[in-house]
């Protein structure tokens, strides 16, 4: 079984400060990891993914994420947050084991509030 | 290039009724997945369709069924609606490759009274 934990329901940060959203995962095989963002009354927008290779992945809108296999973590980061980054962020995992299919398992989400 | 589209945007039903939600995948995509997102929670996988067959299913009862058409569009049907079925239903599409990200539609907000 695969699972994702996002330990913080909400993260508050001042504009211009660094932003970190935490995610840990559990899968049987090697993980494929994804971050999505959701704005009010909207679907999910893809930010970035880790499949293999460099542990630091760069994505859309200045976001990046660091894969840490030993800690089974995939934290989302942004060096300088903007007010427009305020949204709901979801971490998701897919098991690379083919029989697991390619369904995504999501965490519960972290609400980010960036204050001016 | 149109992304994933879903209809209707909002829907209000009463307990016991049946509902059909529709999804058109992003151009070039042939795999469609459906997710249920209850208020304040992350999306939960319902099922996935590829080549007009259900390929994978999450932990949802048989009241939830689907279909995929030759043009890759898909329907989600829910019978005997319960109050707990109230949620945002998200459709996502991708190419069959396992490394590919899924692209999500805006969702259908279902309210069961």
């Amino acid at each position: 079984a695969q699972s994702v934990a996002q330990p913080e329901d909400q993260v508050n940060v001042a504009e211009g400060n660094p932003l970190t959203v935490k995610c840990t995962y559990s899968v049987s095989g090697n993980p494929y990891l994804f971050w999505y963002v959701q704005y009010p009354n909207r679907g999910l927008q893809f930010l970035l993914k880790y499949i293999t290779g460099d542990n630091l992945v760069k994505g859309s809108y200045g976001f990046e994420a660091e894969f840490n296999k030993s800690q089974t973590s995939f934290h989302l980061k942004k060096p300088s947050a903007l007010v427009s980054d305020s949204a709901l962020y979801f971490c998701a995992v897919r098991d690379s084991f083919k029989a697991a299919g390619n369904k995504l398992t999501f965490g519960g989400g972290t609400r980010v509030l960036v204050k001016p | 290039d149109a992304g994933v589209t879903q209809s209707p945007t909002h829907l209000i039903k009463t307990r016991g009724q049946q509902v059909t939600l529709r999804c058109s995948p992003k151009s070039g995509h042939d795999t469609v997945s459906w997710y249920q997102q209850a208020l304040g929670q992350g999306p939960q996988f319902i099922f996935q369709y590829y080549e007009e067959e259900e390929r994978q299913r999450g932990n949802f009862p048989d009241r939830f069924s689907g279909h995929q058409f030759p043009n890759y569009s898909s329907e989600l049907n829910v019978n005997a609606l319960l109050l707990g079925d109230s949620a945002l239903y998200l459709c996502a599409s991708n190419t069959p490759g396992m490394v590919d990200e899924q692209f999500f539609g805006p969702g259908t907000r279902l309210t069961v009274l």
Side-chain angles (χ1 to χ4, degrees):
Chain A
Q2 52 197 51
S3 64
V4 175
Q6 294 181 240
E8 300 157 316
D9 289 337
Q10 181 160 323
V11 170
N12 298 315
V13 63
E15 188 174 32
N17 282 0
L19 168 65
T20 298
V21 185
K22 296 180 181 177
C23 169
T24 59
Y25 66 89
S26 174
V27 294
S28 301
N30 291 318
Y32 295 155
L33 293 155
F34 303 82
W35 275 102
Y36 286 86
V37 60
Q38 186 175 38
Y39 295 97
N41 300 313
R42 302 282 295 277
L44 276 66
Q45 287 180 231
F46 170 75
L47 285 178
L48 52 78
K49 66 182 177 182
Y50 171 82
I51 302 301
T52 187
D54 289 341
N55 289 341
L56 186 63
V57 178
K58 293 188 183 296
S60 306
Y61 312 119
F63 284 95
E64 57 189 31
E66 186 168 10
F67 171 65
N68 187 316
K69 187 172 183 178
S70 63
Q71 297 186 4
T72 62
S73 68
F74 189 56
H75 301 330
L76 181 70
K77 300 180 181 183
K78 187 171 184 180
S80 178
L82 301 173
V83 172
S84 58
D85 293 329
S86 298
L88 191 55
Y89 290 79
F90 290 98
C91 180
V93 69
R94 175 189 298 162
D95 196 328
S96 64
F97 181 48
K98 191 174 175 104
N102 59 2
K103 73 171 188 179
L104 287 175
T105 297
F106 285 86
T110 298
R111 186 165 303 281
V112 170
L113 180 60
V114 182
K115 296 182 179 180
Chain B
D1 176 24
V4 179
T5 60
Q6 292 185 245
S7 63
T9 305
H10 295 89
L11 207 49
I12 299 175
K13 293 286 188 178
T14 57
R15 281 181 300 174
Q17 284 189 314
Q18 179 264 342
V19 68
T20 297
L21 310 182
R22 295 176 177 83
C23 171
S24 291
K26 180 178 169 64
S27 177
H29 289 181
D30 54 10
T31 302
V32 173
S33 301
W34 287 92
Y35 292 82
Q36 180 195 66
Q37 186 180 16
L39 198 61
Q41 297 183 21
Q44 300 287 318
F45 176 78
I46 303 174
F47 43 53
Q48 183 177 85
Y49 278 84
Y50 171 62
E51 291 185 332
E52 302 180 47
E53 291 188 13
E54 183 181 295
R55 299 291 178 169
Q56 197 175 12
R57 189 178 183 92
N59 189 25
F60 279 80
D62 291 344
R63 298 186 298 109
F64 289 77
S65 63
H67 189 77
Q68 186 179 34
F69 299 94
N71 67 353
Y72 310 122
S73 66
S74 176
E75 288 182 349
L76 164 65
N77 301 292
V78 187
N79 295 322
L81 285 167
L82 304 174
L83 295 180
D85 295 331
S86 295
L88 180 67
Y89 288 85
L90 296 166
C91 172
S93 72
N94 58 275
T95 59
M98 287 188 65
V99 301
D100 294 337
E101 62 270 25
Q102 294 182 358
F103 288 81
F104 283 80
T108 294
R109 172 73 62 187
L110 173 64
T111 301
V112 182
L113 302 176

